[in-house]
Amino acid sequence: MAGGTTARPLRADAERSVRLILEAAERLLSKDPGASMEQIAAEAGVSRTTIHRRFAHRQALIDALALSAARQLAQAVNEGRPTTAPPLVALHRITANVLEVKGAWTFALSLPATPGTEAAGLHEDMARHCVTVLERAREDHLIDAASDLHWLQRVYYALLGETLHGNPEDPVTDPDALAARVVETFLHGARARG
């Protein structure tokens, strides 16, 4: 019984230190992609031995960072209910969720996923969900029936990228407000209302 009670705090502590290391790695590597393991350990408030115990080498840390961010992004997409929510609701919710995650994990999500890895599979699933939402939006006549969905997917991704990186002085920072702007622009462009 005593052995079981001490194992749980160690497990929670290990998870906490990994989370701290990954968050510190994101902060440092987004400013300086060449930051060392020692600098990341210092930023995370853990010892060098702790970071090396959790990650055998720098690439292992980078891979774990990319996977963690991909998992969070996949969860954000899934929480938007791409196959069950009304298409407009799904598009808005997914957009807001993705903007929030991508804003917090810009370095990790800029890394190309290594083919065949779990992270690559998650990115492929998210791309399929995007096309599914667009197909459903087309069925609901939110987009033109003759639209090329893969082109629209690229346009949507470009709008997300511009929202995240286009104007650092933009006063709008709320993910829901940004999502409304992205979805409005995506569905209606610059067309005059009237």
Side-chain angles (χ1 to χ4, degrees):
M1 187 88 165
T5 57
T6 56
R8 282 188 185 198
L10 289 175
R11 180 65 188 147
D13 187 50
E15 288 178 14
R16 181 179 173 275
S17 68
V18 168
R19 188 182 73 249
L20 289 172
I21 291 165
L22 294 177
E23 289 170 355
E26 172 64 33
R27 283 191 306 274
L28 279 182
L29 294 170
S30 63
K31 295 175 193 163
D32 176 13
S36 69
M37 294 280 278
E38 288 72 21
Q39 289 171 310
I40 293 167
E43 177 74 14
V46 301
S47 69
R48 287 177 16 185
T49 56
T50 298
I51 198 169
H52 288 290
R53 188 177 331 119
R54 303 284 180 246
F55 305 101
H57 46 78
R58 191 171 189 280
Q59 189 58 47
L61 172 60
I62 301 272
D63 292 344
L65 183 62
L67 178 57
S68 176
R71 285 177 176 164
Q72 290 178 59
L73 192 60
Q75 181 179 348
V77 170
N78 289 333
E79 287 174 358
R81 299 179 19 232
T83 60
T84 58
L88 187 57
V89 172
L91 187 60
H92 176 85
R93 190 75 260 140
I94 290 168
T95 303
N97 292 350
V98 165
L99 289 171
E100 194 165 359
V101 172
K102 282 191 167 218
W105 298 95
T106 54
F107 174 81
L109 291 170
S110 71
L111 300 169
T114 304
T117 63
E118 180 183 347
L122 290 169
H123 285 287
E124 290 165 9
D125 288 345
M126 288 182 276
R128 281 192 291 274
H129 281 314
C130 182
V131 172
T132 297
V133 172
L134 295 176
E135 286 170 343
R136 296 178 65 231
R138 184 167 61 187
E139 290 166 8
D140 274 14
H141 308 289
L142 296 172
I143 57 177
D144 188 88
S147 296
D148 177 341
L149 296 183
H150 293 286
W151 170 251
L152 288 179
Q153 180 184 30
R154 290 174 57 196
V155 170
Y156 173 70
Y157 288 172
L159 286 170
L160 289 173
E162 275 302 305
T163 300
L164 287 166
H165 309 293
N167 182 3
E169 296 175 13
D170 190 344
V172 179
T173 57
D174 175 63
D176 278 323
L178 292 169
R181 182 192 292 173
V182 168
V183 171
E184 175 67 22
T185 303
F186 179 70
L187 294 177
H188 305 292
R191 184 176 63 198
R193 296 179 190 175

